Amino acid sequence: MLVLEDVHVYYGAIHALKGISFQVNQGEIVTLIGSNGAGKSTSLKTISGLLRPKQGKLTFNSEDLSSIPPQNVVAKGISQVPEGRRVFANMTVMENLDMGAFLRKDKSGIKKDVERVFELFPRLKERKSQVAGTLSGGEQQMLAMGRALMSKPQLMLLDEPSMGLAPILVKQIFDIIKEINAQGTTILLVEQNAHMALSVANRAYVLETGKIVLSGEARELAASEEVRKAYLGG
């Protein structure tokens, strides 16, 4: 579904991604793990069209994405849940969900997907008229995920969904990630909580300073001594 080949990305003179190559197949959960500054979020921003590769190829369903604007990336079937939630703080829960469906015209389909979001996140239904900025961190994470689902993505990019959440909420969010995937949405997950990421993913790539240094089945990487020492505290 998604293929990156020898992708190089710069922030000014800083070489952030140094020729990374990876792929995400339809129906998978794939995770990118690594320390801060490894290039995980940069990879997602490049796929979303927020950053442009200086070199390399980026395709989605065999179509070149490397030069199309972000709103067209969404229209192609990719949505992103950004790091730090980034909900529209002065808008209600319902208005945030409406913004997620901004490019859609199918009113009955939109209504159906609102119901689907409320099934996945019952807390949001209870707070649908509440201003998003007054929600808890966990509720804002649910809203950011719900908003992304409203564009009806084939591929969802999740950037650090567990950041700042209590352990019980982290488990809840990851259970919902598995459910979203089971309902047919392919997921590319960036996560510093390597334990949780590897527990839900099919495959994983390990990034270090803009390069992929390891890749494989998630369960194999979770059992790897190298990965355990570096990312799992073992």
Side-chain angles (χ1 to χ4, degrees):
M1 180 182 269
L2 177 76
V3 181
L4 280 75
E5 295 177 77
D6 192 31
V7 170
H8 293 256
V9 174
Y10 289 77
Y11 290 103
I14 298 165
H15 197 175
L17 295 182
K18 303 169 184 173
I20 67 165
S21 299
F22 68 83
Q23 66 182 47
V24 180
N25 302 314
Q26 188 169 352
E28 287 188 308
I29 299 178
V30 173
T31 186
L32 306 178
I33 62 172
S35 55
N36 273 336
K40 306 185 303 295
S41 293
T42 300
S43 299
L44 296 194
K45 287 176 184 172
T46 304
I47 295 162
S48 291
L50 299 169
L51 294 171
R52 295 278 177 233
K54 200 164 188 178
Q55 184 185 322
K57 197 173 179 188
L58 167 60
T59 58
F60 180 65
N61 291 329
S62 304
E63 189 175 348
D64 186 5
L65 284 191
S66 45
S67 60
I68 74 170
Q71 66 271 24
N72 291 6
V73 173
V74 176
K76 299 285 181 197
I78 299 176
S79 67
Q80 180 161 353
V81 181
E83 183 180 348
R85 290 49 124 173
R86 306 290 284 273
V87 297
F88 298 108
N90 296 322
M91 297 168 80
T92 66
V93 165
M94 200 62 229
E95 287 167 342
N96 270 267
L97 296 179
D98 287 341
M99 289 302 289
F102 185 77
L103 294 176
R104 294 175 62 181
K105 301 285 183 277
D106 56 323
K107 285 187 179 177
S108 63
I110 291 169
K111 191 179 174 189
K112 240 175 159 175
D113 283 332
V114 168
E115 287 166 11
R116 178 194 175 200
V117 168
F118 287 157
E119 277 175 28
L120 285 165
F121 306 104
R123 193 84 60 85
L124 295 183
K125 188 173 186 177
E126 293 167 15
R127 288 160 171 59
K128 62 183 178 182
S129 302
Q130 191 169 323
V131 173
T134 65
L135 298 174
S136 70
E139 289 163 350
Q140 288 190 20
Q141 184 61 49
M142 292 171 188
L143 180 55
M145 290 167 69
R147 181 182 60 189
L149 283 172
M150 288 303 300
S151 69
K152 214 168 184 179
Q154 296 175 53
L155 173 66
M156 180 187 277
L157 311 177
L158 277 162
D159 197 352
E160 303 284 7
S162 77
M163 185 182 279
L165 300 184
I168 192 163
L169 270 176
V170 171
K171 185 183 182 314
Q172 191 181 344
I173 291 293
F174 274 84
D175 284 344
I176 294 166
I177 289 169
K178 285 194 287 185
E179 179 58 28
I180 289 168
N181 178 247
Q183 290 180 6
T185 305
T186 304
I187 290 172
L188 178 59
L189 168 68
V190 156
E191 181 55 65
Q192 271 206 289
N193 186 335
H195 271 294
M196 289 301 295
L198 293 172
S199 75
V200 300
N202 303 104
R203 294 187 303 108
Y205 295 88
V206 180
L207 271 79
E208 280 181 15
T209 58
K211 293 179 180 177
I212 289 169
V213 294
L214 280 172
S215 65
E217 297 289 318
R219 62 179 180 274
E220 289 171 5
L221 288 185
S224 149
E225 193 176 340
E226 190 179 344
V227 172
R228 278 208 318 272
K229 280 181 179 171
Y231 304 104
L232 304 177

